[in-house]
Amino acid sequence: MFCANCGNNIIPGEKFCGNCGASVSYSNNVEQSQPTEVMHPTGVEQPTEVMQPTGVEQPTEVMQPTGVEQPTEVMQPGIQIAQPEYATPLIKNRKLIIISACVIAAVAIIAAAIFFFAFPHFHKASPTDRIVVPKAKTSQSAQDVVRELQEKGIETHVIKDFGGSKPGNFARYQNVKPGQVIHGDRVVTVVESKGPGVPAKGVIGKTVEEAAPLLKSMGVPVKVYKVASLHPGKIAATNPMPGEPLDENKEIFIGVGEEDKYPDSGKSIPVELFDKDKDEAYKMMSDEGFKVRLVPKYSSRKHLGKIVGSNPGLGQSHRGDSDITLYYGADASETKKMFTSKKYYSENLTTVEVSTLTPFVGKWCTKSGDCLEFEPGSSMDRDDPEQNSSLRLHGPHAMDDLVNDDKTQYYHSFGMWQFTQNLVGSAIKVYDGEKHNSLPMQNTLLFGDTGMVDIFRDGGDPYCGNEIYTSPAGPCINGKFVSYEDLDKNPLYSSYGPGYEKIPGANKGITYRMRAYFVLVPVNAKLDELEANGFFKGKGKTKPDMDRPFILRRDPKYYSKSELTVEAKDGDVRHNPFVPTEFNKPVPFAPAPDDSNVYYLVEKPFDWWFLKDREL
């Protein structure tokens, strides 16, 4: 017999066509080898007449509209027709279609249930409806306020911004007021609180009266100061900066521009210089008659190449001479320029010296609020802030490594005169033609190419007992300093001749101690390269924000030993393993940098301490 679907010859007894896969049925009334009708594939010319058994009336035409499922069997009197080819995959996929339909229906039911219970009675109000905006309390969650509005048929839009309520609660309406009558087609913006801070919009450029409602809604004290500005009567500066949360001051400062009432007695440095392109700012202040000096200062990426501060400070009236320093945002590419200076001594001698530690000055905090605060180490340094040869550290870690020998102790701080002994003054010298690897600080980060800087307390000097080993104060004998005057009285010393090394106990009791060690990482520093070179012990879980400069603090709790005995020969004690020396690199630094443990720079372009005497 032949397949009724494709005309293929079928071996008797087969249930399916070997060519097209259509099922085959057999009839007892008609001989199997004589099919009365053949289904031809689309596109094949059909015969004009098909012979049918005598006495059987046939339908004149069977319509098969496109896209409509066809019957799996066409009944003819006395004849069984093979199922067409297109019916087979539909039968096989029927279960899948049914399952998919059930899943879609279930999802739709769940979504409808969530919508019903989350927003019961919600309906879109008509544009002609007049609706009263409900009063809302800051003790309510923002979502509760949204739900109440939607129950009235009002569409809502939620944004997050600073407010006096706790995070997640209702802060305020942005574009309507409580009790206001609005039409049903109005979309109401609900502000969800992020806690107190200075909103990014609505403060700068406004008068105090215009910004007062928004500022008072933060629920913290607001202090107003007068500042030099190009826009008198307008708010020109804030602390915190617009878009930032409340800081440790727990209050908001705003600077309002004032006209210079005495222009003949001096010149003003407007706050609008902040974030202005350094070249534009230079020209602007030069045109005002100032002698301008541009100095790089580490900043976040968004401020690179822009003014981030000045001396005298932004917003201040300059009553002295016409000199002014403008600080612009800098990254790792300017590290060597910021810390070192060249000095010409003679035709054959030029030195490169680490002349300042100023880039460390400022406040640096972790995301959890742990802070380090560096300031110039002496009043002389304060008078010339670009030439800080020492640092003083404030904050909870200021006294972490104090020992009995410290002579410059301060309450919760300590003097940093010896902080980087080998990084100050003439300790670093580069003679013409001298190779880089002959430098005494060749293993410090500053003299590498990563753009980072490491500083360490006391320059890595060892201890004799509990006192810093400071030659030529005297030799260390059994953990105690002995003056040369006392040595002269010692018969053993005179009997051994020049030198003291043969005296029993000489060079005994000398130790290296793990003391304060910090690494400054500017924007665009090669931190990945330093990690790959094994500088750090382990690896952090979350990479720090590389768009902000930060400081790393070494923590002794990550080490099994924080003190080592010196095996000194002939008094050579220059092999401290805890800091970089001309002989060795330090032990791996820990903890490894992580977003949770790095101290990010707190950027504050305005000196509010100076402006306090101008409080309104």
Side-chain angles (χ1 to χ4, degrees):
M1 63 175 293
F2 297 90
C3 175
N5 183 48
C6 68
N8 182 56
N9 186 24
I10 298 176
I11 300 173
E14 290 293 331
K15 295 182 179 181
F16 298 95
C17 173
N19 181 50
C20 68
S23 61
V24 179
S25 298
Y26 301 94
S27 172
N28 295 328
N29 300 328
V30 180
E31 187 175 342
Q32 296 177 0
S33 60
Q34 299 296 329
T36 60
E37 183 178 355
V38 178
M39 301 297 289
H40 292 279
T42 305
V44 179
E45 185 179 357
Q46 306 299 322
T48 58
E49 182 178 356
V50 179
M51 297 301 293
Q52 301 292 343
T54 305
V56 179
E57 183 179 353
Q58 300 300 325
T60 60
E61 185 178 4
V62 179
M63 299 298 293
Q64 298 181 359
T66 303
V68 179
E69 184 177 356
Q70 305 302 318
T72 59
E73 183 176 10
V74 179
M75 299 300 295
Q76 304 245 356
I79 299 176
Q80 292 291 335
I81 304 298
Q83 292 182 1
E85 182 180 5
Y86 55 73
T88 302
L90 289 174
I91 293 173
K92 291 181 179 179
N93 293 330
R94 181 171 294 169
K95 288 184 178 180
L96 180 59
I97 294 172
I98 294 173
I99 293 172
S100 299
C102 291
V103 171
I104 293 172
V107 171
I109 292 171
I110 294 172
I114 292 174
F115 181 83
F116 178 80
F117 288 108
F119 303 105
H121 317 302
F122 176 74
H123 64 279
K124 180 68 175 70
S126 168
T128 58
D129 290 345
R130 293 171 59 83
I131 303 170
V132 177
V133 177
K135 293 183 179 181
K137 298 179 180 179
T138 54
S139 58
Q140 294 177 264
S141 72
Q143 289 304 315
D144 286 343
V145 177
V146 168
R147 189 176 296 111
E148 185 177 355
L149 289 165
Q150 292 184 337
E151 287 177 359
K152 293 178 175 291
I154 303 174
E155 281 192 57
T156 59
H157 174 59
V158 180
I159 62 172
K160 293 184 179 182
D161 203 351
F162 298 110
S165 56
K166 67 179 184 179
N169 276 15
F170 172 77
R172 58 189 174 275
Y173 293 120
Q174 187 181 65
N175 56 345
V176 297
K177 295 181 180 179
Q180 179 181 344
V181 178
I182 62 175
H183 290 288
D185 57 353
R186 184 75 174 270
V187 177
V188 173
T189 299
V190 175
V191 179
E192 180 181 325
S193 177
K194 295 195 301 183
V198 177
K201 298 180 179 180
V203 179
I204 296 294
K206 303 290 185 180
T207 65
V208 174
E209 292 73 18
E210 291 171 337
L214 180 59
L215 292 171
K216 288 181 179 179
S217 70
M218 297 300 124
V220 297
V222 178
K223 293 184 177 179
V224 183
Y225 303 99
K226 295 178 292 183
V227 297
S229 170
L230 301 176
H231 306 287
K234 304 289 186 179
I235 298 176
T238 67
N239 183 74
M241 297 289 288
E244 294 185 3
L246 201 67
D247 58 18
E248 73 281 356
N249 291 317
K250 305 302 180 186
E251 56 188 1
I252 294 174
F253 302 151
I254 61 174
V256 179
E258 67 167 349
E259 294 184 10
D260 192 348
K261 298 179 180 179
Y262 309 101
D264 296 334
S265 61
K267 299 175 182 178
S268 298
I269 306 171
V271 295
E272 285 80 7
L273 285 179
F274 172 66
D275 228 17
K276 183 178 288 293
D277 178 82
K278 64 183 180 68
D279 294 327
E280 292 181 15
Y282 180 91
K283 183 178 185 307
M284 173 181 168
M285 299 311 290
S286 296
D287 291 345
E288 289 292 322
F290 284 100
K291 183 179 179 181
V292 182
R293 182 169 61 137
L294 288 173
V295 175
K297 183 177 182 180
Y298 288 135
S299 76
S300 57
R301 189 178 301 278
K302 62 183 177 181
H303 299 310
L304 294 181
K306 300 177 181 179
I307 301 302
V308 294
S310 67
N311 183 29
L314 298 177
Q316 300 179 17
S317 296
H318 193 21
R319 303 302 183 201
D321 56 33
S322 60
D323 291 349
I324 178 177
T325 300
L326 297 180
Y327 300 103
Y328 65 89
D331 64 2
S333 66
E334 301 201 59
T335 290
K336 286 184 172 63
K337 176 181 178 181
M338 294 169 68
F339 281 89
T340 66
S341 61
K342 291 184 179 181
K343 291 188 177 180
Y344 176 81
Y345 287 99
S346 66
E347 183 177 351
N348 297 320
L349 176 59
T350 301
T351 67
V352 175
E353 302 180 1
V354 180
S355 54
T356 180
L357 298 177
T358 296
F360 277 86
V361 172
K363 191 168 187 177
W364 310 71
C365 297
T366 64
K367 287 188 173 181
S368 63
D370 184 18
C371 295
L372 304 169
E373 190 164 1
F374 291 99
E375 66 175 26
S378 70
S379 58
M380 182 180 299
D381 292 332
R382 295 166 194 265
D383 294 337
D384 188 1
E386 281 74 59
Q387 296 298 321
N388 294 325
S389 61
S390 62
L391 294 172
R392 187 174 299 152
L393 176 64
H394 292 268
H397 301 289
M399 302 178 72
D400 279 356
D401 68 348
L402 282 180
V403 289
N404 294 334
D405 67 293
D406 283 296
K407 306 301 183 183
T408 55
Q409 296 186 30
Y410 299 85
Y411 177 72
H412 215 56
S413 67
F414 53 88
M416 308 291 281
W417 291 99
Q418 297 293 322
F419 197 108
T420 52
Q421 169 177 297
N422 290 336
L423 286 179
V424 181
S426 59
I428 306 295
K429 292 186 178 180
V430 180
Y431 295 89
D432 290 351
E434 186 177 9
K435 295 182 179 180
H436 177 75
N437 61 13
S438 65
L439 290 172
M441 297 305 293
Q442 61 180 297
N443 288 312
T444 61
L445 294 179
L446 177 59
F447 285 88
D449 62 356
T450 63
M452 290 176 264
V453 182
D454 51 351
I455 56 175
F456 35 91
R457 186 166 170 81
D458 298 322
D461 286 337
Y463 282 77
C464 175
N466 283 327
E467 295 187 69
I468 295 288
Y469 195 120
T470 54
S471 180
C476 183
I477 299 178
N478 289 323
K480 291 185 178 180
F481 278 119
V482 177
S483 68
Y484 287 106
E485 182 179 352
D486 289 337
L487 281 176
D488 289 337
K489 300 176 183 178
N490 189 327
L492 291 176
Y493 176 70
S494 57
S495 63
Y496 284 123
Y500 62 91
E501 290 79 10
K502 294 183 180 180
I503 296 178
N507 290 333
K508 298 295 184 181
I510 302 177
T511 60
Y512 286 122
R513 297 182 180 182
M514 185 175 286
R515 304 204 68 184
Y517 193 145
F518 299 95
V519 174
L520 195 159
V521 184
V523 173
N524 291 327
K526 299 177 183 178
L527 183 63
D528 291 341
E529 181 179 306
L530 197 64
E531 290 177 321
N533 290 336
F535 183 85
F536 298 104
K537 184 178 181 180
K539 189 173 179 62
K541 294 181 179 179
T542 305
K543 190 172 184 177
D545 183 355
M546 299 303 293
D547 289 333
R548 302 172 63 188
F550 56 83
I551 286 177
L552 302 168
R553 181 182 69 88
R554 185 171 66 184
D555 193 337
K557 75 179 182 181
Y558 289 90
Y559 300 85
S560 58
K561 292 183 178 180
S562 58
E563 182 174 320
L564 293 175
T565 300
V566 177
E567 298 296 335
K569 293 183 180 180
D570 299 325
D572 188 352
V573 289
R574 296 175 293 171
H575 298 270
N576 189 339
F578 298 127
V579 297
T581 72
E582 60 185 301
F583 303 103
N584 59 267
K585 293 183 179 181
V587 296
F589 189 103
D594 186 275
D595 189 48
S596 64
N597 63 33
V598 302
Y599 294 79
Y600 292 107
L601 175 63
V602 179
E603 297 180 281
K604 292 187 176 182
F606 309 113
D607 187 353
W608 295 97
W609 180 85
F610 176 86
L611 295 170
K612 283 185 177 181
D613 63 349
R614 295 160 62 85
E615 185 174 355
L616 291 177

